[in-house]
Amino acid sequence: AQSVTQPDIHITVSEGASLELRCNYSYGATPYLFWYVQSPGQGLQLLLKYFSGDTLVQGIKGFEAEFKRSQSSFNLRKPSVHWSDAAEYFCAVGRRDTGTASKLTFGTGTRLQVTL
Amino acid sequence: GAGVSQSPSNKVTEKGKDVELRCDPISGHTALYWYRQSLGQGLEFLIYFQGNSAPDKSGLPSDRFSAERTGGSVSTLTIQRTQQEDSAVYLCASSRDYTDTQYFGPGTRLTVL
């Protein structure tokens, strides 16, 4: 079964600083990969996804992520964080072996705090 | 266009009561998913619908949990004889088909007293 690890439970960065949130997955093949963001009291919003092709993917709000097969990682980055980016970030894996992206497996999330 | 909607947004119930949670997917989305988000367990998959059938019910935690989908649209998640450990946020998502990106609703926060 697939699994996702987000090793950082809580990260604090200053506004304007760069950000990298880590995500490692365990899966027998190349999975579908996603990053979602959840603001307090809100549902999950898709930031970006990787299905195939270019391993550097661009998302909304200036985020990007890079799929590294050799490291089983899909880290999320942003060059300059804004105070409005404070939220919880979830990495997720979808299965590819059955030809579906159903049944996402989520990491435990990283809570981002932004200081002014 | 309209996103995934869920009702109620909050539900407080007494232990032992039955509850129904509703999900309205994005129009035209054939796949629908239920997840549960709780402090101790994080985000867990519950069940997945393709049309009105549920090919994957593997995440339903007990036989007190059931779900149905009618007309390939609205879905209802029913929890019978609620227990305190059922307290969580129940999230619904939909996608155009089972290979596409899942879009999430705002969730229903269930509190069992």
Side-chain angles (χ1 to χ4, degrees), chain A residues 36 38 46 49 99 101 103-104, chain B residues 35 37 56 58 98 101-102:
Chain A
Y36 285 86
Q38 187 177 37
L46 179 70
K49 63 186 179 185
K103 191 177 180 178
L104 294 180
Chain B
Y35 293 85
Q37 185 174 26
D56 191 348
S58 62
Y98 61 83
T101 302
Q102 296 178 29

Side-chain angles (χ1 to χ4, degrees), chain A residues 15-92:
Chain A
E15 188 175 39
S18 63
L19 172 70
E20 183 169 28
L21 302 182
R22 294 183 289 165
C23 173
N24 291 93
Y25 65 89
S26 173
Y27 185 61
T30 302
Y32 297 119
L33 294 161
F34 307 84
W35 275 99
Y36 285 86
V37 61
Q38 187 177 37
S39 298
Q42 302 297 311
L44 295 165
Q45 181 182 22
L46 179 70
L47 284 176
L48 47 76
K49 63 186 179 185
Y50 173 77
F51 278 14
S52 64
D54 193 347
T55 57
L56 183 63
V57 293
Q58 302 297 320
I60 62 171
K61 304 184 180 185
F63 286 92
E64 67 177 27
E66 186 171 12
F67 168 58
K68 293 186 177 180
R69 184 192 310 272
S70 61
Q71 298 177 19
S72 297
S73 69
F74 189 57
N75 294 349
L76 182 71
R77 301 193 294 251
K78 186 169 184 178
S80 177
V81 169
H82 188 262
W83 65 267
S84 61
D85 293 324
E88 189 146 21
Y89 292 79
F90 293 92
C91 180

Side-chain angles (χ1 to χ4, degrees), chain B:
Chain B
V4 177
S5 61
Q6 294 185 245
S7 60
S9 55
N10 278 285
K11 176 72 176 179
V12 180
T13 190
E14 293 179 349
K15 178 181 173 181
K17 301 279 190 179
D18 297 351
V19 296
E20 286 188 350
L21 312 179
R22 176 186 168 106
C23 172
D24 281 276
I26 293 171
S27 177
H29 280 196
T30 63
L32 185 147
Y33 314 81
W34 284 96
Y35 293 85
R36 179 169 72 172
Q37 185 174 26
S38 57
L39 282 176
Q41 301 297 323
L43 270 157
E44 306 171 278
F45 167 83
L46 296 178
I47 187 170
Y48 149 61
F49 287 91
Q50 180 61 41
N52 291 334
S53 64
D56 191 348
K57 307 178 184 179
S58 62
L60 294 178
S62 76
D63 59 8
R64 296 186 295 105
F65 287 72
S66 63
E68 66 174 11
R69 189 179 185 195
T70 56
S73 182
V74 172
S75 175
T76 303
L77 177 69
T78 301
I79 309 173
Q80 296 179 309
R81 304 181 302 281
T82 51
Q83 304 294 312
Q84 288 182 331
E85 62 262 28
D86 299 334
S87 296
V89 176
Y90 290 82
L91 293 167
C92 176
S94 71
S95 62
R96 283 186 299 179
D97 60 44
Y98 61 83
T99 67
D100 200 12
T101 302
Q102 296 178 29
Y103 295 91
F104 284 79
T108 293
R109 180 174 297 278
L110 174 66
T111 302
V112 182
L113 301 176

